[in-house]
Amino acid sequence: MQPVKTVLEMLHGDGFLKAMSVLYPEGQLNTQKKRYIDAVNSFATLYGADREITFISAPGRTEIGGNHTDHQNGRVLAASVNLDVICVVSKNGDNTVRIKSEGYPQDIVALHDLEKKDAETDKAISLIRGILSRFKQLGYTIGGFDAYTTSNVLKGSGLSSSAAFEVAVGTVLSRIFNGGKADAATIAKIGQYAENVYFGKPCGLMDQMASSVGGFVTIDFKDPENPEVKAVRFDFAKSGHTLCIVDTKGSHSDLTPEYSAIPAEMKSVAGFFGKDKLREVDEVAFYDKLPELRKALGDRPVLRAMHFFGDNERVLSEVKALGDGDFEKFKRLVVESGRSSFEILQNVFAVKEPNEQGLSVALALSEMLLSQKGAWRVHGGGFAGTIQAFVPNEMLEHYRALMEKVFGTGSCYELSIRPLGGVEVDKSLAQEGQ
């Protein structure tokens, strides 16, 4: 940690340039420098200019393969992106955590009061309290700190702004109070715990793991306590394509029941076979029992289980295609995954709001423009928010113009894949990213 004045001097110069170049594209470095300077000034206004501070950054993530497979102990293919939560943080001596996120009221948690509070369900303070509680339960040191956070991860985008926030808080506790002893996988699981138990959302672990670990990763959750995480070596920059996330401007508010229904219905199918998760169910036995399953549970749980079995295997094929350098095959698999999500998983629009189908419109337009050339799919949890597209570079301008004509200026985001997950942004970061 260094004094606010010293940090600002370094930011106005090139003191953080090498570290930032690991996390952000070259063309964004000046913008990021200003973003960090503004964050430090906001911190100083809130907590005082005499404090010693450091930066924590945690990225959003893009799901590339495996849609709603993680919560059934399945496989996913994901990557961290260059959109992130940055946190200016300083220790305090009063056993209190204060976090002021840009655009939101300050959240305050006393370290002696970490029990779950029903009134905090679905609020950011519940995540902070849950993360602190879980760190303490696992035997890690916790302490008081003051922080200011700012995020450019789109809320409701499928880029998982909540997981980025959770990983940022977890990384603060690991790096500032525990010498980095809580590794990326542990931080991810703590974030999931806070979201499941304190926030009240039954999410899987993929969002937190992709944000915390960083880079292209395939994750197998067969053993959820010890997920198998492997880097996927593929230079996307040489693929001739751009990864676009299109924000259809749909809101995720009031959609928790839609999300919750997916794992619940998949679990009901597993329960039919005396299992807890679909990963434990034999696929041949599942198809053999379709008549009984339909009668006992109805058709939607059956269809959603069918999607799980298909997309869980498809991840292996996608990873192999990337490993073989066969990007054309990879794109075909992405389209297959997207169609399975739309038609079988049924998470592209909410049944209760059939006239709000921004994702459906974006997917239809993408297919019209990119058929046989690119790839497209629903992105993240679905029902509202964003789609993902792999767009040939020569078609990028046309694709962006079409999407922004329909969904508004700035709705088409061009992303890069960053090599690191949750990190402390200091001089050592340049070596860590090599």
Side-chain angles (χ1 to χ4, degrees), residues 63-195:
E63 170 198 282
I64 297 171
N67 192 223
H68 280 282
T69 51
D70 60 323
H71 51 68
Q72 297 302 301
N73 297 357
R75 307 180 184 95
V76 298
L77 173 63
S80 58
V81 298
N82 56 296
L83 303 179
D84 64 347
V85 172
I86 59 171
C87 178
V88 186
V89 60
S90 177
K91 288 183 179 180
N92 64 41
D94 57 9
N95 290 318
T96 302
V97 170
R98 302 177 186 88
I99 300 180
K100 172 67 170 73
S101 296
E102 183 181 17
Y104 297 90
Q106 181 173 246
D107 291 315
I108 301 175
V109 177
L111 298 187
H112 68 268
D113 183 15
L114 300 181
E115 294 297 318
K116 176 186 174 183
K117 300 184 184 303
D118 291 340
E120 294 178 353
T121 298
D122 206 34
K123 297 178 181 178
I125 191 171
S126 68
L127 298 174
I128 300 166
R129 198 181 302 276
I131 291 167
L132 287 164
S133 175
R134 192 61 173 163
F135 261 85
K136 186 175 181 180
Q137 290 172 29
L138 294 175
Y140 292 103
T141 299
I142 61 174
F145 63 88
D146 298 324
Y148 177 84
T149 77
T150 181
S151 173
N152 60 8
V153 185
L154 298 172
K155 288 185 69 65
S157 65
L159 296 171
S160 210
S161 57
S162 60
F165 179 78
E166 293 157 20
V167 170
V169 175
T171 304
V172 167
L173 291 170
S174 177
R175 295 299 296 261
I176 306 306
F177 294 101
N178 294 277
K181 291 180 181 179
D183 62 17
T186 299
I187 291 170
K189 287 186 279 188
I190 290 172
Q192 184 202 24
Y193 170 87
E195 191 156 343

Side-chain angles (χ1 to χ4, degrees), residues 139 166 210 217 292 329 349:
E166 293 157 20
V217 292
E292 294 93 328
K329 182 176 181 180
F349 65 92

Side-chain angles (χ1 to χ4, degrees), residues 38 46 54 74 128 134 136 159 180 192 226 246 264 290 301 308 329 349 356 367 389 400 412:
D38 289 346
L46 280 168
T54 191
I128 300 166
R134 192 61 173 163
K136 186 175 181 180
L159 296 171
Q192 184 202 24
N226 298 285
V246 179
L290 275 184
F308 168 82
K329 182 176 181 180
F349 65 92
E356 295 183 15
E367 182 169 10
R400 184 197 310 113
C412 184

Side-chain angles (χ1 to χ4, degrees), residues 14-321:
D14 293 332
F16 282 91
L17 198 60
K18 286 186 178 180
M20 287 185 176
S21 67
V22 177
L23 304 180
Y24 311 107
E26 184 177 355
Q28 294 183 6
L29 292 180
N30 287 334
T31 299
Q32 292 298 335
K33 284 176 66 173
K34 182 180 184 304
R35 183 173 171 234
Y36 276 65
I37 289 168
D38 289 346
V40 173
N41 286 328
S42 294
F43 175 94
T45 299
L46 280 168
Y47 304 115
D50 59 342
R51 304 287 291 274
E52 291 199 347
I53 59 173
T54 191
F55 297 112
I56 296 295
S57 165
R61 67 97 182 105
T62 181
E63 170 198 282
I64 297 171
N67 192 223
H68 280 282
T69 51
D70 60 323
H71 51 68
Q72 297 302 301
N73 297 357
R75 307 180 184 95
V76 298
L77 173 63
S80 58
V81 298
N82 56 296
L83 303 179
D84 64 347
V85 172
I86 59 171
C87 178
V88 186
V89 60
S90 177
K91 288 183 179 180
N92 64 41
D94 57 9
N95 290 318
T96 302
V97 170
R98 302 177 186 88
I99 300 180
K100 172 67 170 73
S101 296
E102 183 181 17
Y104 297 90
Q106 181 173 246
D107 291 315
I108 301 175
V109 177
L111 298 187
H112 68 268
D113 183 15
L114 300 181
E115 294 297 318
K116 176 186 174 183
K117 300 184 184 303
D118 291 340
E120 294 178 353
T121 298
D122 206 34
K123 297 178 181 178
I125 191 171
S126 68
L127 298 174
I128 300 166
R129 198 181 302 276
I131 291 167
L132 287 164
S133 175
R134 192 61 173 163
F135 261 85
K136 186 175 181 180
Q137 290 172 29
L138 294 175
Y140 292 103
T141 299
I142 61 174
F145 63 88
D146 298 324
Y148 177 84
T149 77
T150 181
S151 173
N152 60 8
V153 185
L154 298 172
K155 288 185 69 65
S157 65
L159 296 171
S160 210
S161 57
S162 60
F165 179 78
E166 293 157 20
V167 170
V169 175
T171 304
V172 167
L173 291 170
S174 177
R175 295 299 296 261
I176 306 306
F177 294 101
N178 294 277
K181 291 180 181 179
D183 62 17
T186 299
I187 291 170
K189 287 186 279 188
I190 290 172
Q192 184 202 24
Y193 170 87
E195 191 156 343
N196 288 175
V197 177
Y198 278 66
F199 189 81
K201 183 178 179 180
C203 68
L205 185 57
M206 188 265 287
D207 295 353
Q208 293 85 355
M209 192 66 75
S211 175
S212 191
V213 173
F216 278 107
V217 292
T218 182
I219 310 167
D220 189 333
F221 294 106
K222 186 175 183 179
D223 178 358
E225 292 302 313
N226 298 285
E228 184 179 357
V229 182
K230 293 182 179 179
V232 179
R233 302 300 178 187
F234 180 77
D235 190 349
F236 181 72
K238 296 179 179 178
S239 69
H241 291 69
T242 296
L243 171 61
C244 292
I245 300 296
V246 179
D247 181 12
T248 67
K249 308 299 175 68
S251 173
H252 280 191
S253 62
D254 299 323
L255 289 176
T256 296
E258 296 279 0
Y259 297 118
S260 300
I262 294 177
E265 291 179 9
M266 288 184 176
K267 190 171 182 178
S268 72
V269 175
F272 180 91
F273 293 93
K275 307 295 184 181
D276 186 52
K277 304 287 186 179
L278 279 178
R279 184 65 180 274
E280 304 166 24
V281 175
D282 180 75
E283 186 176 359
V284 174
F286 164 77
Y287 280 104
D288 184 59
K289 294 291 185 180
L290 275 184
E292 294 93 328
L293 281 165
R294 292 184 65 205
K295 184 176 180 180
L297 303 175
D299 285 336
R300 194 170 73 168
V302 168
L303 286 165
R304 286 175 163 171
M306 291 172 66
H307 165 82
F308 168 82
F309 288 119
D311 232 32
N312 193 48
E313 289 301 311
R314 196 173 288 113
V315 168
L316 295 176
S317 299
E318 289 174 333
V319 170
K320 185 177 187 305

